[in-house]
Amino acid sequence: MRSVHISASLYRCLSIVRAEKPRPGAASNAFGLCCSSAIMKKARNLIDSKRKSRKSVAIKLGHDRISSLTDSVLCNILSFLPTDNAVGTSILSSRWRHVWTSLHTLLFDATVCIRQGDFTDVTMERFEMFVISVVLRTEPSNVQKFSLHSYRVSGSSRLKEWVSSAVMRDVRELELNIENQQRLELPESIYSCRSLQVLKLDSDFDIAVPGSGICFPNVKFLRFIMAPLIEILHVVDDLMVSYELVNAVLNCKNLTLSSGVMLALERANLSVLPSVPQLTHFEVHIGETGWRALPLILTSAPLLEKFVLVKECWVNACDPKFGWMENGCVPQCLAQHVKEIEIQGVEDVEDDVKLLEFFMKHCLVLQTMIIRCKRTVTNKKVNHLLRTV
């Protein structure tokens, strides 16, 4: 197409030359050559301009459209990538060289940066040096999210430096996941961080409540996994529990407790828990133990509206730990506010029937009762269970 276009342009220019009426003599020939040269020059300029126009359009429609975006937009795009990939864009061109230094989201994942099976001391040290380099070179006054997933950290002091840097930049979301590591102290700066709204600790941290008793003042989402599920309640020797940290969730509206936390609460033999007046949705997982703590928690949630109970194994309702179902002391929330109850892991046994009957009898404003049976329970047994209840 390009050769056809150029020939057509030349043809139009040459047609003008042929249209000229040459004068007799050498002078006319010279004039004709002069006109022909000028017109040919004009034709070449026309062709060159069209070529440049095509290149300009190609640039506008191609990769340069992204590079023409503002730094804030580019940083927003890079924030969805692991930080090592975001840093890698610095080699694309001079335009991209320093864009990543304005990132508001820092996501460090050793499992992505390091090849599978290559988690040696040398590679882990390189990963940590990379984290240090990025933390030192990034410039934003605030950090929206700081996430660290690693198989180890050289020491608590290094972790404190990284976390403190994020806290000083008013971090909103903090996620720490350190595997195969001895227990680390949770950096003190986290406890009093007022900008922090989301805290996820997927590791074994030693949580020590500050003397002021103030923990995570503005956290709206709090997640602990593995040992920290117990540490959230400040477990001592994994047997005795004090509830200083429960004060951190006094304003939460949605709370889920694992069977490990319920076990710790039961072994602590507490007689009372602080009231959680805002709690409207409560989900609890319970195994063989932890049932004694259930009425204690329900009593601390006076305005509870939805209660989800997940039975992780078979239980004997005749066991003394279920004595609270017979003593006539019914938590206020069951009698006045709970509108929906969901029981999971139900089996066609007499003990489950007693449990279901207790809630149906004492939940005076109950509107919905959801019973989820185990897969081993046949439809026939389900129908029998419903008729019994």
Side-chain angles (χ1 to χ4, degrees):
M1 291 297 293
R2 181 176 297 176
S3 60
V4 173
H5 181 75
I6 293 175
S7 298
S9 300
L10 288 174
Y11 178 79
R12 286 195 297 271
C13 293
L14 292 174
S15 297
I16 297 175
V17 177
R18 293 193 189 98
E20 296 287 344
K21 294 181 178 180
R23 297 177 183 178
S28 61
N29 290 336
F31 176 78
L33 291 174
C34 180
C35 289
S36 177
S37 176
I39 294 174
M40 290 296 291
K41 183 176 181 181
K42 182 178 180 180
R44 286 195 296 269
N45 291 338
L46 176 63
I47 294 169
D48 291 341
S49 65
K50 289 183 177 295
R51 287 176 178 173
K52 292 179 180 178
S53 176
R54 288 194 189 95
K55 290 182 179 179
S56 176
V57 171
I59 290 175
K60 290 180 179 179
L61 295 178
H63 64 278
D64 201 54
R65 290 187 64 181
I66 296 179
S67 297
S68 64
L69 299 174
T70 63
D71 282 2
S72 60
V73 174
L74 292 178
C75 280
N76 186 46
I77 296 173
L78 295 182
S79 66
F80 293 97
L81 301 175
T83 300
D84 62 309
N85 291 338
V87 174
T89 61
S90 62
I91 66 173
L92 294 178
S93 67
S94 57
R95 168 71 179 86
W96 288 83
R97 186 171 301 166
H98 302 294
V99 172
W100 67 270
T101 60
S102 298
L103 282 173
H104 292 269
T105 300
L106 301 179
L107 310 176
F108 302 104
D109 192 342
T111 62
V112 174
C113 296
I114 303 175
R115 292 181 299 178
Q116 187 69 26
D118 192 26
F119 295 100
T120 63
D121 290 343
V122 174
T123 56
M124 293 307 302
E125 180 63 23
R126 289 176 181 171
F127 172 73
E128 292 188 13
M129 294 307 297
F130 169 73
V131 176
I132 293 174
S133 175
V134 171
V135 169
L136 292 176
R137 295 183 62 186
T138 47
E139 302 174 350
S141 58
N142 62 79
V143 174
Q144 295 181 358
K145 181 177 181 179
F146 181 94
S147 175
L148 175 67
H149 185 185
S150 179
Y151 278 89
R152 70 157 205 189
V153 172
S154 296
S156 296
S157 59
R158 179 164 287 183
L159 179 63
K160 288 180 180 180
E161 292 177 3
W162 300 341
V163 172
S164 296
S165 176
V167 170
M168 287 190 294
R169 301 181 195 182
D170 296 329
V171 64
R172 297 181 183 180
E173 183 174 348
L174 184 63
E175 182 174 353
L176 302 177
N177 185 347
I178 304 173
E179 305 176 17
N180 301 332
Q181 174 79 53
Q182 293 182 351
R183 182 174 296 183
L184 293 170
E185 291 184 7
L186 190 68
E188 297 177 0
S189 56
I190 296 179
Y191 295 110
S192 58
C193 181
R194 295 193 173 277
S195 62
L196 190 62
Q197 297 180 8
V198 178
L199 177 60
K200 301 177 182 179
L201 302 178
D202 299 353
S203 311
D204 191 1
F205 284 101
D206 183 10
I207 300 178
V209 181
S212 62
I214 299 177
C215 294
F216 323 130
N218 294 313
V219 169
K220 297 179 180 179
F221 181 89
L222 183 63
R223 185 181 76 186
F224 290 80
I225 295 180
M226 298 169 61
L229 278 171
I230 301 178
E231 293 290 334
I232 184 176
L233 297 171
H234 192 55
V235 176
V236 179
D237 295 330
D238 294 340
L239 295 176
M240 298 301 293
V241 181
S242 59
Y243 53 80
E244 289 90 345
L245 260 176
V246 175
N247 292 320
V249 294
L250 293 183
N251 294 319
C252 70
K253 297 180 180 180
N254 189 318
L255 178 64
T256 300
L257 297 180
S258 73
S259 56
V261 172
M262 296 301 294
L263 170 61
L265 283 171
E266 182 175 281
R267 290 182 174 177
N269 197 27
L270 301 174
S271 59
V272 64
L273 284 175
S275 177
V276 188
Q278 305 298 324
L279 188 63
T280 57
H281 184 286
F282 176 47
E283 177 177 334
V284 59
H285 297 240
I286 309 183
E288 293 183 358
T289 54
W291 291 95
R292 286 191 179 93
L294 182 57
L296 189 65
I297 298 175
L298 291 175
T299 302
S300 69
L303 300 181
L304 187 67
E305 295 181 359
K306 181 176 180 179
F307 173 55
V308 180
L309 172 61
V310 182
K311 290 173 64 273
E312 296 184 345
C313 64
W314 174 82
V315 294
N316 181 8
C318 295
D319 191 284
K321 61 190 174 188
F322 287 93
W324 48 268
M325 290 197 301
E326 307 294 339
N327 63 13
C329 184
V330 180
Q332 175 186 340
C333 64
L334 294 181
Q336 300 180 10
H337 295 284
V338 172
K339 299 178 182 179
E340 180 177 345
I341 291 182
E342 180 177 341
I343 311 293
Q344 300 181 19
V346 174
E347 299 176 88
D348 184 25
V349 293
E350 183 178 354
D351 300 293
D352 283 343
V353 172
K354 290 182 178 180
L355 191 64
L356 294 173
E357 288 179 340
F358 171 81
F359 288 112
M360 295 187 69
K361 177 181 179 181
H362 296 290
C363 294
L364 303 181
V365 296
L366 185 65
Q367 298 177 359
T368 304
M369 181 76 168
I370 300 174
I371 301 174
R372 300 189 185 277
C373 298
K374 290 187 175 181
R375 294 183 178 180
T376 55
V377 181
T378 64
N379 291 335
K380 183 178 180 180
K381 290 184 177 180
V382 170
N383 293 330
H384 177 266
L385 178 65
L386 294 177
R387 287 195 299 269
T388 305
V389 175

